[in-house]
Amino acid sequence: MKFRRSERIIDMTHYLLEHPHQLVSLTLFAERFGSAKSSISEDLAIIKETFEKRGIGTLQTVPGAAGGVKFYSRVNEESAKEFIADLCRQIENPDRLLPGGYLYMMDLLGHPRIMNQVGKLLASAYADQKIDAIMTVATKGIPIAHAIAAHLNVPVVVVRRDSKVTEGPTVSINYVSGSTKRIQAMVLSKRSLKEGSKVLLVDDFMKGGGTINGMISLLAEFNASVAGIAVLVEAEYPERLINDYISLVKLKDVNEKEAAISVVEGNYFSKNIDFLLEDSE
Amino acid sequence: MKFRRSERIIDMTHYLLEHPHQLVSLTLFAERFGSAKSSISEDLAIIKETFEKRGIGTLQTVPGAAGGVKFYSRVNEESAKEFIADLCRQIENPDRLLPGGYLYMMDLLGHPRIMNQVGKLLASAYADQKIDAIMTVATKGIPIAHAIAAHLNVPVVVVRRDSKVTEGPTVSINYVSGSTKRIQAMVLSKRSLKEGSKVLLVDDFMKGGGTINGMISLLAEFNASVAGIAVLVEAEYPERLINDYISLVKLKDVNEKEAAISVVEGNYFSKNIDFLLEDSE
């Protein structure tokens, strides 16, 4: 059966988008379409050019007999800026205000398109690093962790506040909450994380950094190490325990009395931004 | 700036995959590429044909001035069968066995590619129904709910065991666990679900159906109704409270003494399977 070029590139585009960070051999595509590898190479060159131009991602070519291509999700600066600005406006909506100055965020965390964009932005920032797993704390970090995982093609590991019978033997640590200074527990199933893993820590919200620090203590119990720290929202905090992280937005101020929430861009663009695709045109 | 056909169809493929169940006007694409609508229509015909042939999904054309196309994720029977058979084999691995006959499942629930496939299969089954939201119970149902939501483009609503300050006012109900017969509580943030919503209920595991029944009681408090019930694993159970559901796999038997787990295909294919794409060739 013969395939036209247009048909091949549609199927290859879908395949690559579904298999990020994974080496795909030219042979796989050549056999899939009964085409010569030279035709597949030409197709891939067109896909790579379009992905980069349209802010979709990039293809890395790995030469040699065991070679192939790897797709990495990337964003361009313009669309990332636009997305973050829109997120700030949404979080500033005074309807989010709850008693005690808390903000209702479940609508954003439950929105599949927003989560996919959050995942793509944060995954882009860690695309060049060796990451074996993404760790988060139940419950609100889970959609963000999975959204990043889908773009980096790594497993998600979920830390809980207490142990469950369905998780088998667990390792537990105590940590001090950064903002309330209370002692809390964190539990991780022993079999969920391999010894020596390099782990990206993810959370929805960071204030004092206590939860992130708790996860770091837990990593030590698995001889695992921190590959990065990514949060959706950071809040102003005088003496944070954590310095090296990436945030998409920053909560500057919540004024309950006047029902005013002030949100600005996080440190996403102030870090090394080599990971962004150049804006086209 | 002019775009070649190959470039257009790569970008359109990506755009449609990222915007399932959403009407995309031909004008959007025509302006994006500076092309005539007739060229865009031709491109879409090629994409539709390839999507259906390759088991990716389908495009529905909505005619008229306010028309456009909608992409629906679909799977073909062959690839769905293959995926479910592989899932059965993975769940039958005796290493999963925990004391009390429980099975460790966090590796599957944390695996982004597996979750994406699970989401695609379950979303395919409900693609033609009006669904306003997907509801699940924290924690293990969350990745499945989000995986389905990504393909159906609807929000995820998370029910908890207790209320949290970050969720605002909540509605709480009590329900009887199907297997342990204990009374348990379920809590949902009032603002997380609109009155009158049609809701797809999702869970990782169903035995007696108590958790699903709890969610149904909760829906009543929001004047909301059940649009469907989807679970990853169902277990054998004599008198289940729930009949109309879709499961991907069925746990037949767990023999702790002999460390043997028996898993078969769920009822996915015994239900109405009009939703599947026909196998090509």
Side-chain angles (χ1 to χ4, degrees):
Chain A
M1 191 170 176
K2 262 291 179 190
F3 292 84
R4 285 171 299 172
R5 160 151 292 161
S6 52
E7 208 174 315
R8 288 200 310 259
I9 61 175
I10 291 166
D11 186 62
M12 286 162 80
T13 296
H14 171 257
Y15 190 92
L16 291 166
L17 291 172
E18 278 216 330
H19 296 79
H21 285 251
Q22 190 184 311
L23 187 66
V24 182
S25 73
L26 298 197
T27 314
L28 184 143
F29 286 134
E31 287 174 359
R32 198 173 170 101
F33 305 114
S35 306
K37 281 195 191 174
S38 55
S39 307
I40 299 295
S41 286
E42 283 168 37
D43 296 345
L44 288 168
I46 299 169
I47 294 174
K48 179 182 161 74
E49 193 196 324
T50 308
F51 276 11
E52 291 178 355
K53 197 155 143 191
R54 309 295 304 179
I56 296 169
T58 187
L59 292 188
Q60 196 187 69
T61 306
V62 180
V69 284
K70 267 192 192 182
F71 165 65
Y72 297 90
S73 283
R74 297 275 192 188
V75 283
N76 62 33
E77 189 164 347
E78 188 189 342
S79 67
K81 285 251 178 212
E82 207 175 290
F83 175 75
I84 291 178
D86 183 57
L87 206 52
C88 290
R89 278 192 301 272
Q90 289 202 52
I91 300 176
E92 282 182 334
N93 183 340
D95 289 349
R96 301 198 172 276
L97 211 52
L98 297 172
Y102 291 96
L103 299 186
Y104 181 81
M105 297 282 286
M106 292 304 285
D107 57 332
L108 302 175
L109 297 172
H111 193 300
R113 184 93 34 84
I114 292 176
M115 282 300 104
N116 182 42
Q117 284 301 316
V118 164
K120 192 183 279 188
L121 262 65
L122 293 174
S124 289
Y126 294 101
D128 296 332
Q129 271 155 74
K130 181 171 163 20
I131 291 173
D132 301 307
I134 296 177
M135 178 187 272
T136 191
V137 175
T139 309
K140 297 215 294 292
I142 298 175
I144 302 172
H146 270 275
I148 301 173
H151 291 281
L152 292 182
N153 186 33
V154 294
V156 173
V157 167
V158 177
V159 175
R160 289 173 177 273
R161 301 291 178 188
D162 46 13
S163 71
K164 295 269 172 198
V165 66
T166 50
E167 307 229 320
T170 55
V171 173
S172 160
I173 59 113
N174 291 307
Y175 72 100
V176 181
S177 151
S179 42
T180 67
K181 303 290 178 209
R182 276 193 314 170
I183 296 205
Q184 296 190 276
M186 256 185 204
V187 169
L188 183 62
S189 169
K190 273 187 87 166
R191 63 171 86 188
S192 69
L193 188 65
K194 283 200 195 89
E195 287 266 320
S197 295
K198 295 190 184 307
V199 182
L200 175 62
L201 305 179
V202 169
D203 211 355
D204 60 316
F205 190 83
M206 178 172 71
K207 198 172 175 184
T211 307
I212 296 285
N213 256 305
M215 288 197 265
I216 294 172
S217 305
L218 207 43
L219 287 186
E221 298 302 315
F222 288 80
N223 293 317
S225 57
V226 181
I229 299 168
V231 299
L232 177 61
V233 183
E234 63 165 312
E236 288 276 16
Y237 196 77
E239 292 165 61
R240 198 178 343 247
L241 304 159
I242 306 291
N243 292 307
D244 198 13
Y245 62 88
I246 287 184
S247 67
L248 292 191
V249 307
K250 182 171 188 170
L251 184 61
K252 291 285 282 185
D253 189 46
V254 176
N255 186 329
E256 260 193 284
K257 209 169 145 193
E258 303 191 1
I261 303 164
S262 162
V263 182
V264 297
E265 208 174 270
N267 69 7
Y268 190 73
F269 299 105
S270 62
K271 294 273 165 180
N272 181 350
I273 56 164
D274 292 348
F275 56 80
L276 294 167
L277 289 171
E278 279 177 36
D279 294 337
S280 57
E281 285 120 85
Chain B
M1 193 170 174
K2 263 291 179 191
F3 291 84
R4 286 169 300 171
R5 161 150 291 161
S6 53
E7 207 175 316
R8 288 199 310 260
I9 62 175
I10 292 166
D11 186 62
M12 286 162 82
T13 297
H14 171 257
Y15 190 92
L16 291 165
L17 291 172
E18 278 216 331
H19 296 80
H21 285 249
Q22 189 184 313
L23 187 66
V24 182
S25 71
L26 298 197
T27 314
L28 183 143
F29 286 135
E31 287 174 357
R32 198 172 170 100
F33 305 115
S35 304
K37 280 193 191 177
S38 55
S39 308
I40 299 295
S41 285
E42 284 169 35
D43 297 343
L44 288 169
I46 299 169
I47 293 173
K48 179 182 162 71
E49 193 197 324
T50 308
F51 276 11
E52 291 177 356
K53 197 157 144 192
R54 309 297 303 181
I56 295 168
T58 186
L59 292 187
Q60 196 187 69
T61 307
V62 180
V69 285
K70 267 191 193 184
F71 164 66
Y72 296 91
S73 284
R74 296 275 192 189
V75 284
N76 61 33
E77 189 163 345
E78 189 190 341
S79 67
K81 285 251 178 213
E82 205 175 293
F83 174 74
I84 290 177
D86 183 58
L87 206 52
C88 290
R89 279 194 300 273
Q90 289 202 51
I91 299 175
E92 280 182 335
N93 183 342
D95 290 349
R96 298 196 175 278
L97 210 52
L98 297 172
Y102 291 96
L103 299 185
Y104 181 81
M105 296 282 285
M106 291 305 286
D107 57 332
L108 302 175
L109 296 173
H111 193 298
R113 184 95 32 84
I114 293 176
M115 283 299 104
N116 182 41
Q117 283 302 315
V118 165
K120 193 184 274 187
L121 263 66
L122 294 172
S124 288
Y126 295 101
D128 296 332
Q129 272 156 73
K130 181 172 164 18
I131 291 172
D132 301 309
I134 296 177
M135 179 187 271
T136 190
V137 175
T139 309
K140 297 217 291 294
I142 298 175
I144 302 172
H146 269 274
I148 302 173
H151 291 281
L152 292 181
N153 186 32
V154 293
V156 173
V157 167
V158 178
V159 174
R160 290 173 176 270
R161 301 292 178 187
D162 46 12
S163 70
K164 294 271 171 195
V165 66
T166 50
E167 308 229 321
T170 55
V171 173
S172 160
I173 59 115
N174 290 307
Y175 72 101
V176 181
S177 150
S179 44
T180 66
K181 303 292 179 207
R182 274 192 315 169
I183 297 205
Q184 296 190 273
M186 256 185 203
V187 169
L188 183 62
S189 168
K190 274 187 87 166
R191 63 170 86 188
S192 69
L193 188 65
K194 282 199 196 90
E195 287 265 320
S197 296
K198 295 190 184 309
V199 182
L200 176 62
L201 305 179
V202 170
D203 211 357
D204 60 317
F205 189 83
M206 177 171 71
K207 198 172 178 186
T211 308
I212 297 284
N213 256 304
M215 287 197 265
I216 295 172
S217 305
L218 206 42
L219 287 186
E221 298 302 314
F222 288 80
N223 293 316
S225 58
V226 181
I229 299 169
V231 299
L232 177 61
V233 184
E234 63 165 311
E236 288 276 17
Y237 196 75
E239 293 165 61
R240 195 173 353 241
L241 304 158
I242 305 291
N243 292 307
D244 198 13
Y245 62 89
I246 287 184
S247 67
L248 292 191
V249 307
K250 183 170 187 168
L251 184 62
K252 291 286 280 183
D253 190 46
V254 176
N255 186 327
E256 258 194 284
K257 210 170 143 194
E258 303 191 2
I261 303 165
S262 163
V263 182
V264 298
E265 207 174 88
N267 70 4
Y268 190 74
F269 299 104
S270 63
K271 293 275 166 179
N272 180 350
I273 55 163
D274 292 349
F275 56 80
L276 293 168
L277 289 171
E278 280 178 35
D279 294 336
S280 58
E281 283 120 86

